[in-house]
Coordinates of all heavy atoms in Angstrom, one line a residue:
M1 N 4.1 -19.7 5.8 CA 3.1 -19.3 4.8 C 2.6 -20.6 4.2 O 3.3 -21.4 3.7 CB 3.8 -18.4 3.7 CG 2.9 -18.1 2.6 SD 3.5 -17.3 1.1 CE 5.0 -16.5 1.6
E2 N 1.3 -20.7 4.2 CA 0.6 -21.8 3.7 C 0.5 -21.7 2.1 O 0.1 -20.7 1.6 CB -0.8 -21.9 4.2 CG -1.6 -23.1 3.8 CD -3.0 -23.1 4.3 OE1 -3.4 -22.2 5.0 OE2 -3.8 -24.0 3.8
V3 N 0.9 -22.8 1.5 CA 0.8 -22.9 0.0 C -0.3 -23.9 -0.4 O -0.3 -25.0 0.2 CB 2.2 -23.3 -0.6 CG1 2.0 -23.4 -2.1 CG2 3.2 -22.2 -0.2
R4 N -1.1 -23.5 -1.3 CA -2.1 -24.4 -1.8 C -1.9 -24.8 -3.3 O -1.4 -24.0 -4.0 CB -3.5 -23.8 -1.6 CG -3.9 -23.6 -0.2 CD -5.3 -23.2 -0.1 NE -5.6 -22.9 1.3 CZ -6.6 -22.2 1.7 NH1 -7.4 -21.7 0.9 NH2 -6.9 -22.1 3.0
R5 N -2.3 -26.0 -3.6 CA -2.3 -26.4 -5.0 C -3.7 -26.3 -5.6 O -4.6 -26.8 -5.1 CB -1.8 -27.9 -5.1 CG -1.7 -28.4 -6.5 CD -0.7 -29.5 -6.6 NE -0.5 -30.0 -7.9 CZ 0.3 -29.5 -8.8 NH1 1.0 -28.5 -8.6 NH2 0.3 -30.0 -10.0
I6 N -3.8 -25.4 -6.6 CA -5.1 -25.2 -7.3 C -4.9 -25.4 -8.7 O -3.8 -25.5 -9.3 CB -5.6 -23.8 -7.0 CG1 -4.7 -22.7 -7.6 CG2 -5.7 -23.5 -5.5 CD1 -5.3 -21.3 -7.6
T7 N -6.0 -25.5 -9.4 CA -6.0 -25.5 -10.9 C -6.9 -24.4 -11.4 O -7.9 -24.1 -10.9 CB -6.5 -26.9 -11.4 OG1 -7.9 -27.1 -10.9 CG2 -5.6 -28.0 -11.0
I8 N -6.4 -23.8 -12.5 CA -7.1 -22.7 -13.2 C -7.3 -23.2 -14.6 O -6.4 -23.6 -15.3 CB -6.3 -21.4 -13.1 CG1 -6.0 -21.0 -11.7 CG2 -7.0 -20.3 -13.9 CD1 -7.1 -20.5 -10.9
N9 N -8.5 -23.0 -15.1 CA -8.9 -23.4 -16.5 C -9.0 -22.1 -17.3 O -9.8 -21.2 -17.0 CB -10.2 -24.1 -16.5 CG -10.6 -24.6 -17.9 OD1 -10.1 -24.0 -18.9 ND2 -11.4 -25.5 -18.0
I10 N -8.0 -22.0 -18.3 CA -8.1 -20.8 -19.2 C -8.0 -21.3 -20.6 O -7.1 -22.1 -20.9 CB -6.9 -19.9 -18.9 CG1 -7.0 -19.3 -17.4 CG2 -6.8 -18.7 -19.9 CD1 -5.8 -18.4 -17.0
A11 N -9.0 -20.9 -21.4 CA -9.0 -21.2 -22.8 C -9.0 -22.8 -23.0 O -8.4 -23.3 -23.9 CB -7.9 -20.6 -23.6
G12 N -9.7 -23.5 -22.1 CA -9.8 -24.9 -22.3 C -8.6 -25.7 -21.8 O -8.5 -26.9 -22.0
R13 N -7.6 -25.1 -21.2 CA -6.5 -25.7 -20.7 C -6.4 -25.6 -19.2 O -6.8 -24.6 -18.6 CB -5.2 -25.2 -21.3 CG -5.0 -25.5 -22.7 CD -3.6 -25.1 -23.2 NE -3.5 -25.4 -24.6 CZ -2.4 -25.3 -25.3 NH1 -1.3 -24.8 -24.6 NH2 -2.3 -25.6 -26.5
I14 N -6.0 -26.7 -18.5 CA -5.9 -26.7 -17.1 C -4.5 -26.3 -16.7 O -3.5 -26.9 -17.2 CB -6.3 -28.1 -16.5 CG1 -7.7 -28.5 -17.0 CG2 -6.1 -28.1 -15.0 CD1 -8.8 -27.6 -16.5
Y15 N -4.3 -25.4 -15.8 CA -3.0 -24.9 -15.3 C -2.9 -25.2 -13.8 O -3.6 -24.5 -13.0 CB -2.8 -23.4 -15.6 CG -2.7 -23.2 -17.0 CD1 -3.9 -22.8 -17.7 CD2 -1.6 -23.3 -17.7 CE1 -3.9 -22.5 -19.1 CE2 -1.5 -23.0 -19.1 CZ -2.7 -22.6 -19.8 OH -2.6 -22.4 -21.1
P16 N -2.1 -26.2 -13.4 CA -1.9 -26.4 -11.9 C -1.0 -25.4 -11.4 O 0.1 -25.1 -12.0 CB -1.3 -27.8 -11.9 CG -0.7 -28.0 -13.2 CD -1.4 -27.2 -14.2
L17 N -1.3 -24.8 -10.2 CA -0.5 -23.8 -9.6 C -0.3 -24.1 -8.1 O -1.2 -24.5 -7.5 CB -1.2 -22.4 -9.8 CG -1.5 -22.0 -11.2 CD1 -2.4 -20.7 -11.2 CD2 -0.2 -21.7 -11.9
N18 N 0.9 -23.8 -7.6 CA 1.1 -23.7 -6.2 C 1.1 -22.3 -5.8 O 2.0 -21.5 -6.3 CB 2.4 -24.4 -5.8 CG 2.4 -25.9 -6.1 OD1 1.4 -26.5 -5.9 ND2 3.5 -26.4 -6.7
V19 N 0.2 -21.9 -5.0 CA 0.0 -20.5 -4.7 C -0.1 -20.3 -3.2 O -0.6 -21.1 -2.4 CB -1.2 -19.9 -5.4 CG1 -1.1 -20.0 -6.9 CG2 -2.5 -20.5 -4.9
P20 N 0.3 -19.1 -2.7 CA 0.1 -18.8 -1.3 C -1.4 -18.7 -1.0 O -2.2 -18.2 -1.9 CB 0.7 -17.4 -1.1 CG 1.7 -17.3 -2.2 CD 1.1 -18.1 -3.4
A21 N -1.8 -19.2 0.1 CA -3.3 -19.3 0.4 C -3.9 -17.9 0.3 O -5.1 -17.8 -0.1 CB -3.5 -19.9 1.8
A22 N -3.2 -16.9 0.7 CA -3.7 -15.5 0.6 C -4.0 -15.1 -0.8 O -4.8 -14.2 -1.0 CB -2.8 -14.6 1.3
E23 N -3.4 -15.7 -1.8 CA -3.6 -15.3 -3.2 C -4.6 -16.1 -4.0 O -4.9 -15.8 -5.1 CB -2.3 -15.3 -3.9 CG -1.3 -14.3 -3.4 CD 0.1 -14.3 -4.1 OE1 0.1 -14.9 -5.2 OE2 1.0 -13.8 -3.6
E24 N -5.0 -17.2 -3.3 CA -5.9 -18.2 -4.1 C -7.2 -17.5 -4.6 O -7.5 -17.7 -5.8 CB -6.3 -19.3 -3.1 CG -7.2 -20.3 -3.8 CD -7.6 -21.5 -2.9 OE1 -7.2 -21.5 -1.7 OE2 -8.4 -22.3 -3.4
E25 N -7.9 -16.8 -3.8 CA -9.1 -16.2 -4.2 C -8.9 -15.2 -5.4 O -9.6 -15.2 -6.4 CB -9.8 -15.4 -3.1 CG -11.1 -14.9 -3.4 CD -11.8 -14.2 -2.2 OE1 -11.5 -14.6 -1.1 OE2 -12.7 -13.3 -2.5
T26 N -7.8 -14.4 -5.3 CA -7.5 -13.4 -6.4 C -7.2 -14.2 -7.7 O -7.7 -13.8 -8.7 CB -6.3 -12.6 -5.9 OG1 -6.6 -11.9 -4.7 CG2 -5.9 -11.6 -7.0
L27 N -6.4 -15.2 -7.6 CA -6.0 -16.0 -8.8 C -7.3 -16.6 -9.5 O -7.5 -16.6 -10.7 CB -5.0 -17.0 -8.5 CG -3.6 -16.5 -8.4 CD1 -2.7 -17.5 -7.8 CD2 -3.0 -16.0 -9.7
R28 N -8.2 -17.2 -8.6 CA -9.4 -17.7 -9.2 C -10.3 -16.7 -9.8 O -10.8 -16.9 -10.9 CB -10.2 -18.5 -8.1 CG -9.5 -19.7 -7.6 CD -10.4 -20.5 -6.7 NE -9.7 -21.7 -6.1 CZ -9.5 -22.8 -6.8 NH1 -9.9 -22.9 -8.0 NH2 -8.9 -23.8 -6.2
K29 N -10.3 -15.5 -9.2 CA -11.1 -14.4 -9.7 C -10.6 -13.9 -11.1 O -11.3 -13.7 -12.0 CB -11.2 -13.2 -8.7 CG -12.0 -12.1 -9.1 CD -12.0 -11.0 -8.0 CE -12.9 -9.8 -8.5 NZ -12.9 -8.8 -7.4
V30 N -9.3 -13.8 -11.1 CA -8.6 -13.3 -12.4 C -8.8 -14.4 -13.5 O -9.1 -14.0 -14.6 CB -7.1 -13.0 -12.2 CG1 -6.4 -12.7 -13.5 CG2 -7.0 -11.8 -11.2
G31 N -8.7 -15.6 -13.1 CA -8.9 -16.7 -14.1 C -10.3 -16.6 -14.7 O -10.5 -16.8 -15.9
K32 N -11.3 -16.4 -13.8 CA -12.7 -16.3 -14.3 C -12.9 -15.1 -15.2 O -13.6 -15.1 -16.2 CB -13.6 -16.2 -13.1 CG -15.1 -16.3 -13.4 CD -15.9 -16.6 -12.2 CE -15.8 -18.0 -11.9 NZ -16.9 -18.6 -11.1
Q33 N -12.2 -13.9 -14.8 CA -12.3 -12.7 -15.6 C -11.7 -13.0 -17.0 O -12.3 -12.5 -18.0 CB -11.6 -11.6 -14.9 CG -12.3 -11.0 -13.7 CD -11.5 -10.0 -13.0 OE1 -10.3 -9.9 -13.2 NE2 -12.2 -9.2 -12.2
I34 N -10.6 -13.7 -17.1 CA -10.0 -14.0 -18.4 C -10.9 -14.9 -19.2 O -11.1 -14.6 -20.4 CB -8.6 -14.6 -18.2 CG1 -7.6 -13.6 -17.6 CG2 -8.1 -15.2 -19.5 CD1 -6.3 -14.2 -17.2
E35 N -11.5 -15.9 -18.6 CA -12.4 -16.7 -19.3 C -13.6 -15.9 -19.8 O -14.0 -16.1 -21.0 CB -12.9 -17.8 -18.3 CG -12.1 -19.1 -18.3 CD -12.0 -19.8 -19.6 OE1 -13.0 -20.3 -20.1 OE2 -10.9 -19.8 -20.2
N36 N -14.1 -15.0 -19.0 CA -15.2 -14.2 -19.5 C -14.8 -13.2 -20.6 O -15.6 -13.0 -21.6 CB -15.8 -13.3 -18.3 CG -16.5 -14.2 -17.3 OD1 -17.0 -15.3 -17.6 ND2 -16.6 -13.7 -16.1
M37 N -13.6 -12.7 -20.6 CA -13.1 -11.9 -21.6 C -13.0 -12.7 -22.9 O -13.3 -12.2 -24.0 CB -11.7 -11.3 -21.3 CG -11.8 -10.2 -20.2 SD -10.2 -9.7 -19.7 CE -9.5 -8.9 -21.1
I38 N -12.5 -13.9 -22.8 CA -12.3 -14.8 -24.0 C -13.7 -15.0 -24.6 O -13.9 -14.8 -25.9 CB -11.7 -16.1 -23.6 CG1 -10.2 -15.9 -23.3 CG2 -11.8 -17.1 -24.8 CD1 -9.5 -17.1 -22.7
K39 N -14.7 -15.3 -23.8 CA -16.1 -15.5 -24.3 C -16.6 -14.3 -25.0 O -17.2 -14.3 -26.1 CB -17.0 -16.0 -23.2 CG -16.7 -17.4 -22.8 CD -17.6 -17.7 -21.6 CE -17.3 -19.1 -21.0 NZ -18.0 -19.4 -19.8
D40 N -16.3 -13.1 -24.4 CA -16.8 -11.9 -25.0 C -16.1 -11.6 -26.3 O -16.8 -11.2 -27.3 CB -16.5 -10.7 -24.0 CG -17.0 -9.4 -24.5 OD1 -18.2 -9.3 -24.8 OD2 -16.2 -8.4 -24.6
F41 N -14.8 -11.8 -26.4 CA -14.1 -11.6 -27.7 C -14.6 -12.6 -28.7 O -14.8 -12.2 -29.9 CB -12.6 -11.7 -27.5 CG -12.0 -10.5 -26.9 CD1 -11.2 -10.7 -25.7 CD2 -12.1 -9.3 -27.4 CE1 -10.6 -9.6 -25.1 CE2 -11.5 -8.2 -26.8 CZ -10.7 -8.3 -25.6
E42 N -14.9 -13.8 -28.4 CA -15.4 -14.8 -29.3 C -16.8 -14.5 -29.8 O -17.1 -14.7 -31.0 CB -15.3 -16.2 -28.7 CG -13.9 -16.8 -28.5 CD -13.9 -18.1 -27.8 OE1 -14.8 -18.4 -27.0 OE2 -12.9 -18.8 -28.0
Q43 N -17.6 -13.9 -29.0 CA -19.0 -13.7 -29.3 C -19.1 -12.3 -30.1 O -20.0 -12.2 -31.0 CB -19.9 -13.6 -28.1 CG -20.1 -14.9 -27.4 CD -20.8 -14.8 -26.1 OE1 -21.1 -13.7 -25.6 NE2 -21.1 -15.9 -25.5
N44 N -18.3 -11.4 -29.8 CA -18.5 -10.0 -30.4 C -17.5 -9.6 -31.4 O -17.7 -8.5 -32.0 CB -18.5 -9.0 -29.2 CG -19.6 -9.3 -28.3 OD1 -20.8 -9.4 -28.7 ND2 -19.3 -9.4 -27.0
F45 N -16.4 -10.4 -31.6 CA -15.4 -9.9 -32.6 C -15.0 -11.1 -33.5 O -15.3 -12.3 -33.1 CB -14.2 -9.4 -31.8 CG -14.5 -8.2 -31.0 CD1 -14.7 -8.4 -29.6 CD2 -14.6 -6.9 -31.5 CE1 -15.0 -7.3 -28.8 CE2 -14.9 -5.8 -30.8 CZ -15.1 -6.0 -29.4
D46 N -14.3 -10.8 -34.5 CA -13.9 -11.9 -35.5 C -12.6 -12.5 -34.9 O -11.5 -12.2 -35.4 CB -13.6 -11.2 -36.8 CG -13.3 -12.3 -37.9 OD1 -13.7 -13.4 -37.7 OD2 -12.6 -11.9 -38.9
V47 N -12.8 -13.4 -33.9 CA -11.7 -14.1 -33.3 C -11.7 -15.5 -33.9 O -12.6 -16.2 -33.9 CB -11.9 -14.1 -31.8 CG1 -10.8 -14.9 -31.1 CG2 -11.9 -12.7 -31.2
R48 N -10.5 -15.8 -34.5 CA -10.4 -17.1 -35.2 C -10.2 -18.3 -34.3 O -10.6 -19.4 -34.5 CB -9.2 -17.0 -36.2 CG -9.5 -16.0 -37.3 CD -8.4 -16.0 -38.4 NE -8.6 -14.9 -39.2 CZ -7.7 -13.9 -39.4 NH1 -6.6 -14.0 -38.8 NH2 -8.0 -13.0 -40.2
D49 N -9.4 -18.1 -33.2 CA -9.1 -19.2 -32.3 C -8.8 -18.7 -30.9 O -8.8 -17.5 -30.7 CB -8.0 -20.1 -32.8 CG -6.7 -19.3 -33.0 OD1 -6.5 -18.3 -32.4 OD2 -5.8 -19.8 -33.8
K50 N -8.5 -19.6 -30.0 CA -8.3 -19.2 -28.6 C -7.0 -18.3 -28.5 O -7.0 -17.4 -27.7 CB -8.1 -20.5 -27.7 CG -9.3 -21.3 -27.6 CD -10.4 -20.7 -26.7 CE -11.5 -21.6 -26.5 NZ -12.7 -21.0 -25.9
Q51 N -6.0 -18.6 -29.3 CA -4.8 -17.8 -29.3 C -5.1 -16.3 -29.6 O -4.6 -15.4 -28.9 CB -3.7 -18.3 -30.2 CG -2.4 -17.6 -30.1 CD -1.3 -18.2 -30.9 OE1 -1.4 -19.3 -31.4 NE2 -0.2 -17.5 -31.1
D52 N -5.9 -16.1 -30.6 CA -6.3 -14.7 -30.9 C -7.1 -14.1 -29.7 O -6.8 -12.9 -29.4 CB -7.2 -14.7 -32.2 CG -6.5 -15.0 -33.4 OD1 -5.3 -14.9 -33.5 OD2 -7.2 -15.3 -34.4
A53 N -8.0 -14.8 -29.1 CA -8.7 -14.3 -28.0 C -7.8 -14.0 -26.8 O -7.9 -13.0 -26.1 CB -9.8 -15.3 -27.5
L54 N -6.8 -14.9 -26.6 CA -5.8 -14.7 -25.5 C -4.9 -13.4 -25.8 O -4.6 -12.7 -24.9 CB -5.0 -15.9 -25.3 CG -5.7 -17.1 -24.6 CD1 -4.8 -18.3 -24.7 CD2 -5.9 -16.7 -23.1
A55 N -4.6 -13.3 -27.1 CA -3.8 -12.1 -27.4 C -4.6 -10.8 -27.2 O -4.1 -9.8 -26.6 CB -3.4 -12.2 -28.9
M56 N -5.9 -10.8 -27.5 CA -6.7 -9.7 -27.2 C -6.9 -9.4 -25.7 O -6.9 -8.3 -25.3 CB -8.1 -9.9 -27.9 CG -8.1 -9.9 -29.4 SD -7.3 -8.4 -30.2 CE -8.5 -7.2 -29.7
C57 N -7.0 -10.5 -25.0 CA -7.1 -10.3 -23.5 C -5.8 -9.7 -23.0 O -5.8 -8.8 -22.1 CB -7.2 -11.7 -22.8 SG -8.9 -12.4 -23.0
A58 N -4.6 -10.2 -23.4 CA -3.4 -9.6 -23.0 C -3.3 -8.1 -23.3 O -2.8 -7.3 -22.5 CB -2.2 -10.4 -23.6
L59 N -3.7 -7.8 -24.5 CA -3.7 -6.4 -25.0 C -4.6 -5.5 -24.1 O -4.2 -4.5 -23.6 CB -4.1 -6.3 -26.4 CG -4.0 -4.9 -27.1 CD1 -2.6 -4.4 -27.0 CD2 -4.5 -5.0 -28.5
K60 N -5.8 -6.0 -23.8 CA -6.7 -5.3 -23.0 C -6.2 -5.1 -21.6 O -6.3 -4.1 -21.0 CB -8.1 -5.9 -23.0 CG -9.2 -5.2 -22.3 CD -10.5 -5.8 -22.5 CE -11.6 -4.9 -21.7 NZ -12.9 -5.4 -21.9
L61 N -5.7 -6.2 -21.0 CA -5.2 -6.2 -19.6 C -4.0 -5.3 -19.5 O -3.9 -4.5 -18.5 CB -5.0 -7.6 -19.1 CG -6.2 -8.5 -18.9 CD1 -5.8 -9.9 -18.6 CD2 -7.1 -7.9 -17.8
G62 N -3.1 -5.4 -20.5 CA -1.9 -4.5 -20.5 C -2.3 -3.0 -20.6 O -1.7 -2.2 -19.9
T63 N -3.3 -2.7 -21.5 CA -3.7 -1.4 -21.6 C -4.3 -0.9 -20.3 O -4.0 0.3 -19.9 CB -4.7 -1.3 -22.8 OG1 -4.1 -1.7 -24.0 CG2 -5.2 0.1 -23.0
N64 N -5.2 -1.7 -19.7 CA -5.8 -1.3 -18.5 C -4.7 -1.0 -17.4 O -4.8 0.0 -16.6 CB -6.8 -2.4 -18.0 CG -8.0 -2.5 -18.8 OD1 -8.3 -1.6 -19.6 ND2 -8.8 -3.5 -18.6
A65 N -3.7 -1.9 -17.3 CA -2.7 -1.7 -16.3 C -1.9 -0.4 -16.6 O -1.5 0.3 -15.6 CB -1.7 -2.9 -16.3
E66 N -1.6 -0.1 -17.8 CA -0.9 1.1 -18.2 C -1.7 2.4 -17.8 O -1.2 3.4 -17.3 CB -0.5 1.1 -19.7 CG 0.3 2.3 -20.1 CD 1.7 2.3 -19.4 OE1 2.2 1.3 -18.9 OE2 2.3 3.4 -19.4
V67 N -3.0 2.3 -18.1 CA -3.9 3.5 -17.8 C -3.9 3.7 -16.3 O -3.8 4.8 -15.8 CB -5.3 3.2 -18.3 CG1 -6.3 4.2 -17.7 CG2 -5.3 3.3 -19.8
V68 N -4.0 2.6 -15.5 CA -4.0 2.7 -14.0 C -2.7 3.3 -13.6 O -2.7 4.2 -12.7 CB -4.3 1.3 -13.4 CG1 -4.0 1.4 -11.9 CG2 -5.7 0.9 -13.6
S69 N -1.6 2.9 -14.1 CA -0.3 3.4 -13.8 C -0.1 4.9 -14.1 O 0.3 5.6 -13.2 CB 0.8 2.6 -14.5 OG 2.1 3.1 -14.2
L70 N -0.6 5.3 -15.3 CA -0.5 6.7 -15.6 C -1.4 7.5 -14.7 O -1.0 8.6 -14.3 CB -0.9 6.9 -17.1 CG 0.1 6.4 -18.1 CD1 -0.5 6.5 -19.5 CD2 1.4 7.1 -18.1
N71 N -2.6 7.1 -14.4 CA -3.5 7.8 -13.5 C -2.9 7.9 -12.1 O -3.0 8.9 -11.4 CB -4.9 7.1 -13.4 CG -5.7 7.4 -14.7 OD1 -5.4 8.3 -15.4 ND2 -6.6 6.5 -14.9
H72 N -2.2 6.8 -11.7 CA -1.5 6.8 -10.4 C -0.4 7.9 -10.3 O -0.3 8.7 -9.4 CB -1.0 5.4 -10.1 CG -0.3 5.3 -8.7 ND1 -1.0 5.4 -7.5 CD2 1.0 5.1 -8.4 CE1 -0.2 5.2 -6.5 NE2 1.0 5.1 -7.0
E73 N 0.4 7.9 -11.4 CA 1.4 8.9 -11.5 C 0.9 10.3 -11.4 O 1.4 11.2 -10.8 CB 2.3 8.7 -12.7 CG 3.1 7.5 -12.7 CD 3.9 7.2 -14.0 OE1 4.1 8.2 -14.7 OE2 4.3 6.1 -14.2
K74 N -0.2 10.6 -12.2 CA -0.8 11.9 -12.2 C -1.4 12.3 -10.8 O -1.2 13.4 -10.4 CB -2.0 11.9 -13.2 CG -1.5 11.9 -14.7 CD -2.7 11.9 -15.6 CE -2.3 11.8 -17.1 NZ -3.5 11.7 -18.0
N75 N -2.0 11.3 -10.2 CA -2.5 11.6 -8.8 C -1.4 11.9 -7.8 O -1.5 12.8 -7.0 CB -3.3 10.4 -8.3 CG -4.6 10.3 -9.0 OD1 -5.1 11.2 -9.6 ND2 -5.2 9.1 -8.9
I76 N -0.3 11.2 -7.9 CA 0.9 11.5 -7.1 C 1.4 12.9 -7.3 O 1.7 13.7 -6.4 CB 2.0 10.4 -7.2 CG1 1.5 9.1 -6.6 CG2 3.3 10.9 -6.6 CD1 2.5 7.9 -6.9
K77 N 1.6 13.2 -8.6 CA 2.1 14.6 -9.0 C 1.1 15.7 -8.5 O 1.5 16.6 -7.9 CB 2.3 14.7 -10.5 CG 2.9 16.0 -10.9 CD 3.1 16.0 -12.4 CE 3.7 17.4 -12.8 NZ 4.0 17.5 -14.2
S78 N -0.2 15.5 -8.7 CA -1.2 16.4 -8.2 C -1.2 16.6 -6.7 O -1.2 17.7 -6.2 CB -2.6 16.0 -8.7 OG -3.6 16.8 -8.2
S79 N -1.1 15.5 -6.0 CA -1.1 15.5 -4.6 C 0.2 16.2 -4.1 O 0.1 17.0 -3.1 CB -1.2 14.1 -4.0 OG -2.4 13.5 -4.3
S80 N 1.3 15.9 -4.7 CA 2.6 16.6 -4.3 C 2.5 18.1 -4.5 O 2.9 18.8 -3.6 CB 3.7 16.0 -5.1 OG 4.9 16.6 -4.8
E81 N 1.9 18.5 -5.6 CA 1.8 19.9 -5.9 C 0.8 20.6 -4.8 O 1.1 21.7 -4.3 CB 1.3 20.2 -7.3 CG 2.3 19.8 -8.3 CD 1.8 19.9 -9.8 OE1 0.5 20.1 -9.9 OE2 2.6 19.6 -10.7
R82 N -0.2 19.9 -4.5 CA -1.2 20.4 -3.5 C -0.5 20.5 -2.1 O -0.7 21.5 -1.4 CB -2.4 19.6 -3.4 CG -3.3 19.8 -4.7 CD -4.5 19.0 -4.8 NE -5.2 18.6 -3.7 CZ -5.9 17.4 -3.6 NH1 -5.9 16.6 -4.6 NH2 -6.5 17.1 -2.5
L83 N 0.3 19.5 -1.8 CA 1.0 19.5 -0.5 C 2.0 20.7 -0.4 O 2.1 21.3 0.6 CB 1.6 18.2 -0.2 CG 0.7 17.1 0.2 CD1 1.4 15.7 0.2 CD2 0.0 17.3 1.5
K84 N 2.7 20.9 -1.5 CA 3.7 22.0 -1.6 C 2.9 23.3 -1.4 O 3.4 24.2 -0.6 CB 4.4 22.0 -2.9 CG 5.5 20.9 -3.0 CD 6.1 20.9 -4.4 CE 7.1 19.8 -4.5 NZ 7.7 19.7 -5.9
S85 N 1.8 23.5 -2.0 CA 1.0 24.7 -1.9 C 0.5 24.9 -0.4 O 0.6 26.0 0.1 CB -0.2 24.7 -2.8 OG -1.0 25.8 -2.6
I86 N 0.0 23.8 0.2 CA -0.4 23.9 1.6 C 0.8 24.2 2.5 O 0.6 25.1 3.4 CB -1.1 22.6 2.0 CG1 -2.4 22.4 1.3 CG2 -1.3 22.5 3.5 CD1 -3.0 21.0 1.4
N87 N 1.9 23.6 2.2 CA 3.1 23.9 3.0 C 3.5 25.3 2.9 O 3.9 26.0 3.9 CB 4.2 22.9 2.6 CG 5.4 23.0 3.6 OD1 5.2 23.1 4.8 ND2 6.6 22.9 3.0
Q88 N 3.5 25.9 1.7 CA 3.9 27.2 1.5 C 2.9 28.2 2.2 O 3.4 29.1 2.8 CB 3.9 27.6 0.0 CG 4.3 29.0 -0.3 CD 4.4 29.2 -1.8 OE1 3.9 28.4 -2.6 NE2 4.9 30.4 -2.2
T89 N 1.6 27.9 2.1 CA 0.6 28.7 2.8 C 0.9 28.7 4.4 O 0.8 29.7 5.0 CB -0.8 28.2 2.5 OG1 -1.0 28.3 1.1 CG2 -1.8 29.1 3.2
L90 N 1.2 27.5 4.9 CA 1.4 27.4 6.3 C 2.7 28.1 6.7 O 2.7 28.8 7.8 CB 1.6 25.9 6.7 CG 0.2 25.1 6.7 CD1 0.5 23.6 6.9 CD2 -0.7 25.6 7.7
E91 N 3.7 28.1 5.9 CA 4.9 28.8 6.2 C 4.7 30.3 6.2 O 5.2 31.0 7.0 CB 6.0 28.4 5.2 CG 6.6 27.1 5.4 CD 7.7 26.7 4.4 OE1 7.9 27.5 3.4 OE2 8.2 25.6 4.5
E92 N 3.9 30.8 5.2 CA 3.6 32.2 5.2 C 2.7 32.6 6.4 O 2.9 33.7 6.9 CB 2.8 32.5 3.9 CG 3.7 32.4 2.6 CD 2.9 32.5 1.3 OE1 1.6 32.7 1.4 OE2 3.5 32.4 0.2
F93 N 1.8 31.8 6.8 CA 1.0 32.0 7.9 C 1.8 32.1 9.2 O 1.5 32.9 10.1 CB -0.1 31.0 8.0 CG -1.1 31.2 9.1 CD1 -2.0 32.2 9.1 CD2 -1.1 30.4 10.3 CE1 -2.9 32.4 10.1 CE2 -2.0 30.6 11.3 CZ -2.9 31.6 11.2
G94 N 2.8 31.2 9.3 CA 3.7 31.1 10.5 C 4.6 32.3 10.6 O 5.0 32.6 11.7
N95 N 4.9 33.0 9.5 CA 5.8 34.2 9.6 C 5.0 35.4 10.0 O 4.5 36.1 10.2 CB 6.5 34.4 8.3 CG 7.5 33.2 8.0 OD1 8.0 32.6 9.0 ND2 7.7 32.9 6.8

């Protein structure tokens, strides 16, 4: 597995990272998204400093991840119920 050394700039700080080559593009994209979120919080809300902006980013990203997780669980449950119903119909049809 090829590892690359990259740098990501978040909130005015440079973070050197050793990452698998396959993850480089994703990490750069996420770093850019975080930077854009920080700018948005600074422009649109009463954000006192970078730490406040980073805290708001963490809260927003964590909330988004939780929503995705809950939706995923609901979709799995719904799919499972539909498959059980289809299976029951097929069993009744087979008899």
